[in-house]
Amino acid sequence: MVKKKPSPPHHEEHADETWLIPYSDLLTLLLALFIVLFASSNLDKDKAAQIQYALAAAFGSGGMEDENGTITSFLNDVKDLNLEQDGIIISSDANGATLEMASINLFDKGSVNLKPEALPVLKKISLLLNSSKYKKYRISVEGHTDDTNESDTLPSNWELSGARAGAVVRTMIGNDMEVNRFKAVGLAEISPAYPNKNPYGEPIPENRLKNRRVIVRIEF
């Protein structure tokens, strides 16, 4: 009787699973893309611009962008000036970068003449905006007031806000900036950053103070 040779032991074959790593990375990227698309569809333009800047800053964008002078490079450069110490709020929206300055730091109550201590701050801003990276961009200066008539000599907040915006523009032009880059806009109390009064009609002094401001907007 012929004995059968024992069959060799069966070896299980293991599939190469290294492909799972790039596949999972791809799924992660697709998920992130869909989240961004969904979020963008529910955001207004101002928030989208702020997210764009935050993402660019987080990933350290630079190179040619900095050479060309984009909104991201401007926000980085202006932060190096330490303008926050002068009470300036640096931000961005759908129309460009913004530098918000409290009127109390620029003008005496009811006045349209810049305080002497405001001039060095505007000089620093002018020098940056006059550099080769940002020389091509137009600049809008907005004057804002609260809902009271702050001036004893001007008939309304329209004249006050417009004259203050004009004073800032005139000073920056005096810092060797080209006049055709500017426009000055007086918005009086029609665009408050905070409610001037509570729901009971009572004034909110701290909000009124915040609403008296000048905004320098660089139109990227």
Side-chain angles (χ1 to χ4, degrees):
M1 185 174 180
V2 180
K3 292 183 180 181
K4 292 183 178 180
K5 292 184 179 181
S7 58
H10 177 70
H11 296 284
E12 294 185 3
E13 294 185 1
H14 296 281
D16 185 3
E17 297 179 351
T18 56
W19 62 272
L20 288 173
I21 297 175
Y23 180 70
S24 62
D25 289 342
L26 176 62
L27 289 180
T28 303
L29 290 173
L30 287 174
L31 177 60
L33 174 62
F34 287 128
I35 291 174
V36 170
L37 291 175
F38 175 77
S40 299
S41 67
N42 291 278
L43 289 173
D44 59 30
K45 290 183 178 180
D46 290 357
K47 291 181 180 178
Q50 293 173 7
I51 289 175
Q52 180 183 10
Y53 165 62
L55 288 173
F59 287 101
S61 59
M64 287 300 295
E65 179 181 82
D66 289 341
E67 292 178 11
N68 293 333
T70 66
I71 186 171
T72 303
S73 65
F74 176 79
L75 290 170
N76 287 330
D77 288 343
V78 79
K79 282 188 174 182
D80 291 338
L81 299 179
N82 296 319
L83 295 180
E84 291 94 340
Q85 297 178 0
D86 300 307
I88 296 178
I89 300 173
I90 303 167
S91 187
S92 63
D93 59 23
N95 297 316
T98 60
L99 305 176
E100 181 178 319
M101 299 171 277
S103 291
I104 194 173
N105 295 333
L106 300 175
F107 305 94
D108 290 323
K109 180 176 173 58
S111 174
V112 297
N113 298 314
L114 282 161
K115 293 180 177 180
E117 55 266 32
L119 301 180
V121 179
L122 293 177
K123 181 71 172 180
K124 287 195 294 185
I125 296 172
S126 299
L127 287 173
L128 178 60
L129 290 174
N130 222 19
S131 64
S132 57
K133 287 199 293 186
Y134 309 113
K135 202 175 183 68
K136 65 181 179 180
Y137 296 111
R138 294 181 60 83
I139 301 159
S140 174
V141 180
E142 304 170 1
H144 297 264
T145 68
D146 61 15
D147 58 341
T148 65
N149 193 348
E150 185 183 346
S151 175
D152 297 327
T153 58
L154 296 174
S156 75
N157 286 331
W158 292 104
E159 287 83 4
L160 178 64
S161 60
R164 285 180 167 176
V168 171
V169 169
R170 187 169 62 252
T171 300
M172 296 179 76
I173 291 173
N175 292 330
D176 297 324
M177 298 190 68
E178 295 180 6
V179 65
N180 59 3
R181 296 179 62 188
F182 288 94
K183 64 180 176 181
V185 183
L187 295 174
E189 68 269 18
I190 67 171
S191 185
Y194 304 92
N196 287 300
K197 296 179 180 178
N198 64 25
Y200 301 101
E202 300 168 337
I204 307 175
E206 59 271 24
N207 283 3
R208 281 179 167 173
L209 189 62
K210 292 175 183 177
N211 287 331
R212 301 172 191 166
R213 65 204 193 278
V214 173
I215 296 177
V216 176
R217 187 183 308 277
I218 299 86
E219 300 176 354
F220 285 91

